[in-house]
Amino acid sequence: MMGGRPSSPLDKRQQQHVTDRVDALLRSFLPCYRGQLAASVLRQVACELSPQEPAGCQLLRSKKLPRVREHRGPLVHLRGHPPQWQPVFCVLRGDGRLEWFSHREEYEDGGRPLGSTALTGYTVLTCQREYLRLLDTLCPDASGAHTQEEADPLLEMPVGCPLFLQHPFRRHLCFSAATREAQRAWRLALQGGIRLRGTVLQRSQAPAAWAFLEAVRLYRQHQGHFGDDDVTLGSDAELLDAVHAAVLARASAGLRAFQPEKDELLAALERTIRPDVDQMLRLRARVAGRLRAEVQGPLESCLRGKVAVQLPRITRTLVSTVEAALVAVQTLLARGVDRLSRHLRGSSSGAQLRKEVYAFGEMPWDPELMQICYQEAEQSRRRLGRLVAPFGFLGTQSLVFGAQDLAQQLMADAVATFLQLADQCLTTALDCDQAARQLEKVRARVLKKFRSDSGSARSRRVRGWLLGIFLPFVLSQLEQRRRRVELPAFEADVLAMGSPALTIEGIYEDVIRGVLSQRIDGELKKALGAADVSSTLDGCSEAPWDQVGADEETEAQRGTCSRQPGPGAEVQPLCLPPAPETFRS
């Protein structure tokens, strides 16, 4: 079953057709990507020069890269022709790749797996009947009715502890565990791998990653697809697996071939943009002011409609979703520290204490332990989906993944901070009670830092999500108006600059984004309290010019471009050396 449809190999004519279509897509997409690379460099340089900086983080940044705890064990796999349940030994790698071998010894001897797949885009189902209903939906009969008149082979062979991996484009994978406990452990591990693989670009701070995501959004927008979703390779759930493989291989080859050009282009853009950045920003502000005057009326009218009605409700839902996950993280963190203190007071052996410290350090990567935090984010999925669907936003899974990633990252940062501070204050001169009291002081410090950082991170994440939900909708509503705006006079100034980093379309979107950001910030202050939000929002703008807004544009029209720091008080980060892996023995 290939993405819910029977599949067959492609013949040469079909392969050539796919190749031609992908090549045409890349010829259309890569110019957009180049333009966004230029915009990302301007954005980065402007951020470096702007006096506005985000409030300093209180917690140390964990040096451990996001990963999945490797999981191994026997399963049975539905495979072969005709399909039969056959025993296999499965391994989930730390990078989110699943492999299966004929037996354990083959894995331990370094043999090649029978099969493997990256978990990007998959969904785990553990209910056989739910999976069969999904197949019924994906594969209606010839009349279009969603019925199953013939008995499904899977129904004839009930599976006690199934693990179904469903993908919209790829071959479905059907496994079964021996016990409910093993099924749960595999489900949690697989969900972690799916999330890890699915948020690589979103977690990256590299300008090229931001440029790629923006290029994809703009490319789809030019095709008339406003709004976001969770499918990165299209939205047709009826593609054959062979087509998906051919498209993926050709597109990947094309993007890999572009990598050397991309690296050279980024270096060249850095050299050309940095010397002229002040002039470019002044020009951008001047053009933005004129564009703002053109679209002010229609934009305000759009924001007073459906956006004004739903923005408060969606803001509260997102805030409560993140808060619930972070409260669960704080609870787990406090319990972990308390457990260490109890072992110290109980005069545990050195070996036992080292084991507990190791377990504490592994908390962020323990899927069973972190499940309570992840589940808090997962519980809001359906409600969020209903709230954002009217705006064309279908990326609810990305919101859930983002909240879960934030919970894991803050847990990792808090654990790293605790281990370092504990290492600094614990010495061999302390007895067990004294050491436990020191840990209690460190506990209080780390929890205070955690609350500070979690509040800032919550505001930044929710703000970014709200922009992702509402910006495409507002742009789509203003599309006809944008086409009627007289742009030649604006374009002459921008083209005279001669830089791909400045485009009328980019400045226009920044104007819309800036006004929308002000509405979002106002709603966040209502939801979180002005005192809690004012300092954190000063440094979390999508672009370095967002927070300056209309005042700067007015100044720019008068020939100046003053940029003053925001009113928020800045919190300086603690300057601490790298965290050790464990306490001193």
Side-chain angles (χ1 to χ4, degrees), residues 209-225:
W210 178 88
F212 184 81
L213 291 172
E214 279 294 288
V216 170
R217 181 182 68 81
L218 289 173
Y219 178 82
R220 296 186 65 185
Q221 193 168 292
H222 293 159
Q223 309 302 314
H225 300 297

Side-chain angles (χ1 to χ4, degrees), residues 340 343-344 348-358 582-583:
L340 286 179
H343 278 280
L344 267 179
S348 299
S349 66
Q352 179 64 31
L353 183 57
R354 283 192 294 272
K355 180 180 178 181
E356 291 297 326
V357 171
Y358 175 79
T582 185
F583 297 123

Side-chain angles (χ1 to χ4, degrees), residues 327-345:
V327 167
V329 171
Q330 180 174 316
T331 301
L332 283 178
L333 180 64
R335 289 175 180 172
V337 175
D338 292 343
R339 186 168 58 249
L340 286 179
S341 296
R342 286 197 300 272
H343 278 280
L344 267 179
R345 292 185 186 278

Side-chain angles (χ1 to χ4, degrees), residues 358-371:
Y358 175 79
F360 180 81
E362 286 293 300
M363 283 173 59
W365 325 115
D366 187 331
E368 182 69 41
L369 193 65
M370 292 294 293
Q371 177 62 15

